[in-house]
Amino acid sequence: MERLDKSVASSLTRFYIVALCVVAMLTISGLFLIRRTINNLNHDSRMVNVAGRQRMLSQRLTKLAILNVGQMKHSDSTQFNALVKIWKESHENLANKKLPVENGLVTWKSAALDSMFLDLMPVFDSIYLNFLLVNDSTIAVPQKQQALSQILEKEPLFLAKMDKIVFQFDKESFQRLENLERIEWILDIMTILVLFAEGILIFRPVVNTTRRVVKMLTESENALQLSNQKLKEANNQLLEAQNELLRVEEEKYELQLAEDRIRASALIEGQEEERKRFALELHDGIGQMLTGLKLHAEKLKSVQFHDEKNQKRFEQLVTLIQDIIQTTRQISFNLMPSVLSDFGLNAALRLLCEQTAELSGIKIEFDGDVNKRIEMNRPMEIGLYRIAQEALNNAVKHANADKIKIKLEQNKNRIILEITDDGKGFLISNLKSEDGLFLTRNGMENIRTRTQLLNGEMEIVSKVDSGTNLIVRVDL
């Protein structure tokens, strides 16, 4: 292939360039000659028209001269002087070989025409002078009649000579056409010869070279097809191995996800059980003891203390016991609210909103039907409650919100939990780590994990200074 590139391609390129240049030059030359001849023919037609008009003007001027000398009325409104002027200027332009056209002057070379115009000049001058005498109002009528006689005598000679001039113009124009035809034949024959030489010196070597190249390509293609067939078989085996490896990896990944989900579910379930047990311990154990302590303290209110300071300390002690009881109840409720198991998720969320609003001083609303309990399993009920509890705590601690709203609704077979606040908002990207997980310090990863364990969907919409909207959708 390297030999073909160097020996054939370069030589064929040179031949092509030379042949194309010759053909282009011949074509351009032919077009130039044709265009030039057409322009000349247009000028020839203009000259023939002007020469023919000279005959017409001379006859018209003769007629006007007769009418003028005879003092006869006529309808020709053309000024005699203007016609004489046009007739004279046209004759001088033809005689001087400078005929004005739209874009300039037309000139020509013709010894025959020069001789004819030179022979015509005395006749023209005689007729022109007599036209001037006829049109001169100071000349007497007999002199005008004599001038008219000379005009009538010279006019046939003028017309005859002008006919010869017109025919000479036409003859020379026809000769130029014949010359153009001969040149056109010469250019056509040269173009055909160049094309014939191009076919012998260029196209035939190209065909032979192409035949050799095609043969080499065919042999290479057959060898390539054989190699491709072997490579295809090897690729099929490799693909099968890759697919098997991918399947094993996918099964391993799914198994790992299932294990992580089971582990997380077991961990959360254990946490909930531990919270339930701890809440019962607080409520039934410490809570009952604190309640008994409060009763005993209230019975001592009737005892009179001799020291007023001791009386105030005792009252502070009673108040402290009451605060400890209230805090214990709040901790027990947060660990496992009894209203959740007794009245359902709607009632538990409403109570959560009321207690959080009382402690935080923020306006918290609950939008849901507390009189209707949504039937769902215990893990789903606890999971949705924990999601709402976590999101509400985040809004209270971090959002600087003036208003928070929790909405729970059932749409056919789907539960939708929505927590909205009008706080400062945030960028979602700031809550995620490099691997795409939510940072645990804000509780979002716990919400995401609980949502996944419920086979639900979580959506967060937040902008800076535009609040935050958390939506969790779970199918029953």
Side-chain angles (χ1 to χ4, degrees):
M1 296 301 292
E2 182 180 359
R3 181 183 61 82
L4 292 176
D5 287 341
K6 291 183 177 180
S7 62
V8 178
S10 59
S11 60
L12 291 180
T13 302
R14 288 195 299 270
F15 283 139
Y16 267 119
I17 292 175
V18 172
L20 292 177
C21 290
V22 172
V23 173
M25 197 160 54
L26 292 174
T27 304
I28 293 173
S29 301
L31 292 175
F32 175 76
L33 290 174
I34 292 172
R35 182 63 183 172
R36 183 177 178 182
T37 304
I38 290 174
N39 291 332
N40 292 332
L41 290 176
N42 291 331
H43 297 157
D44 290 346
S45 63
R46 180 67 180 271
M47 289 185 290
V48 171
N49 289 334
V50 173
R53 189 183 64 177
Q54 286 296 95
R55 299 177 71 260
M56 182 270 296
L57 288 177
S58 66
Q59 293 175 345
R60 189 175 179 184
L61 288 170
T62 302
K63 182 188 74 171
L64 291 175
I66 293 172
L67 293 174
N68 189 5
V69 173
Q71 297 182 354
M72 292 180 287
K73 295 182 179 180
H74 57 85
S75 59
D76 196 339
S77 60
T78 305
Q79 294 291 333
F80 190 85
N81 290 334
L83 287 178
V84 171
K85 183 178 179 181
I86 294 174
W87 185 63
K88 182 176 183 299
E89 289 179 353
S90 299
H91 183 81
E92 290 176 350
N93 291 333
L94 291 173
N96 295 327
K97 297 182 291 185
K98 292 183 179 179
L99 186 65
V101 294
E102 291 80 2
N103 298 324
L105 294 174
V106 177
T107 60
W108 61 91
K109 293 180 180 180
S110 174
L113 288 173
D114 292 342
S115 176
M116 289 180 180
F117 276 110
L118 187 62
D119 185 42
L120 179 63
M121 186 59 66
V123 179
F124 174 80
D125 291 339
S126 176
I127 296 175
Y128 175 70
L129 292 176
N130 289 317
F131 278 150
L132 295 179
L133 292 175
V134 170
N135 192 44
D136 192 352
S137 59
T138 60
I139 302 299
V141 174
Q143 293 179 353
K144 289 184 178 181
Q145 291 177 350
Q146 185 180 0
L148 178 61
S149 300
Q150 293 182 3
I151 290 172
L152 295 175
E153 180 183 356
K154 297 291 185 179
E155 183 186 11
L157 181 60
F158 175 79
L159 294 177
K161 291 182 179 296
M162 283 302 301
D163 286 341
K164 291 182 180 180
I165 290 174
V166 172
F167 292 149
Q168 183 63 28
F169 272 127
D170 186 65
K171 179 180 178 181
E172 292 182 359
S173 177
F174 183 73
Q175 288 177 353
R176 280 192 285 271
L177 282 176
E178 288 182 341
N179 292 332
L180 175 64
E181 185 177 1
R182 286 193 292 272
I183 294 173
E184 189 71 22
W185 274 106
I186 294 173
L187 292 176
D188 292 339
I189 292 173
M190 292 178 65
T191 303
I192 293 173
L193 291 176
V194 171
L195 293 176
F196 181 74
E198 186 176 359
I200 295 176
L201 299 176
I202 298 177
F203 289 109
R204 186 174 180 182
V206 168
V207 171
N208 295 331
T209 303
T210 305
R211 186 182 294 112
R212 290 196 303 270
V213 171
V214 169
K215 183 178 179 181
M216 294 171 60
L217 290 176
T218 303
E219 295 175 353
S220 300
E221 183 179 3
N222 294 332
L224 182 60
Q225 287 180 353
L226 182 60
S227 300
N228 287 338
Q229 185 65 28
K230 295 180 180 180
L231 183 60
K232 185 177 180 180
E233 294 176 356
N235 285 336
N236 291 334
Q237 296 176 359
L238 181 60
L239 287 175
E240 291 178 358
Q242 289 178 346
N243 292 334
E244 182 66 20
L245 182 60
L246 288 175
R247 185 183 63 80
V248 172
E249 290 295 330
E250 288 178 358
E251 290 179 354
K252 182 179 179 181
Y253 179 71
E254 294 294 335
L255 180 60
Q256 184 177 358
L257 288 179
E259 290 177 355
D260 292 341
R261 185 173 298 178
I262 292 173
R263 188 180 297 108
S265 177
L267 180 60
I268 291 176
E269 185 177 357
Q271 289 177 351
E272 294 298 335
E273 290 295 330
E274 187 64 22
R275 286 180 177 180
K276 181 178 180 181
R277 186 188 64 80
F278 192 51
L280 291 175
E281 290 291 338
L282 286 176
H283 184 272
D284 297 337
I286 299 176
Q288 296 297 331
M289 288 187 290
L290 290 173
T291 302
L293 180 61
K294 178 186 175 184
L295 293 175
H296 286 297
E298 288 179 349
K299 289 179 181 180
L300 292 176
K301 283 184 179 181
S302 59
V303 178
Q304 296 294 328
F305 290 93
H306 299 288
D307 191 354
E308 185 178 356
K309 291 183 179 180
N310 292 332
Q311 181 70 31
K312 290 182 179 180
R313 289 173 182 171
F314 177 74
E315 291 175 357
Q316 292 175 356
L317 178 62
V318 173
T319 303
L320 180 60
I321 293 172
Q322 180 63 32
D323 292 341
I324 293 174
I325 292 173
Q326 184 64 29
T327 303
T328 303
R329 288 177 180 175
Q330 183 65 36
I331 294 174
S332 177
F333 177 81
N334 291 335
L335 289 174
M336 184 59 65
S338 59
V339 68
L340 182 62
S341 58
D342 296 337
F343 300 100
L345 184 59
N346 280 316
L349 291 178
R350 179 180 179 181
L351 183 59
L352 176 65
C353 291
E354 292 175 354
Q355 292 182 352
T356 307
E358 182 180 354
L359 293 175
S360 63
I362 300 174
K363 184 179 179 181
I364 303 175
E365 296 181 358
F366 174 71
D367 184 3
D369 189 1
V370 296
N371 297 321
K372 178 182 177 182
R373 181 168 184 172
I374 302 175
E375 297 296 333
M376 65 182 74
N377 55 46
R378 180 67 176 171
M380 183 179 293
E381 200 170 46
I382 295 175
L384 290 175
Y385 179 79
R386 294 303 181 193
I387 290 173
Q389 188 181 37
E390 188 75 39
L392 185 59
N393 290 334
N394 284 342
V396 171
K397 293 179 181 179
H398 307 294
N400 293 334
D402 296 326
K403 182 179 178 181
I404 304 174
K405 181 179 179 181
I406 296 180
K407 181 179 179 181
L408 180 68
E409 64 177 348
Q410 180 180 4
N411 186 4
K412 295 182 180 179
N413 199 35
R414 171 167 283 197
I415 302 297
I416 301 176
L417 175 63
E418 185 174 355
I419 300 93
T420 306
D421 66 73
D422 60 352
K424 61 183 180 180
F426 56 87
L427 294 176
I428 304 298
S429 58
N430 293 338
L431 292 181
K432 293 184 178 181
S433 59
E434 295 181 356
D435 54 359
L437 298 178
F438 288 101
L439 300 175
T440 56
R441 64 173 178 268
N442 47 43
M444 285 298 177
E445 184 63 25
N446 295 335
I447 295 175
R448 185 187 68 85
T449 302
R450 288 185 180 273
T451 303
Q452 288 181 347
L453 292 176
L454 297 176
N455 293 324
E457 301 173 356
M458 182 184 74
E459 179 182 358
I460 301 177
V461 179
S462 181
K463 293 182 180 180
V464 177
D465 298 330
S466 298
T468 304
N469 188 18
L470 171 65
I471 303 173
V472 177
R473 301 178 182 90
V474 180
D475 293 332
L476 290 175

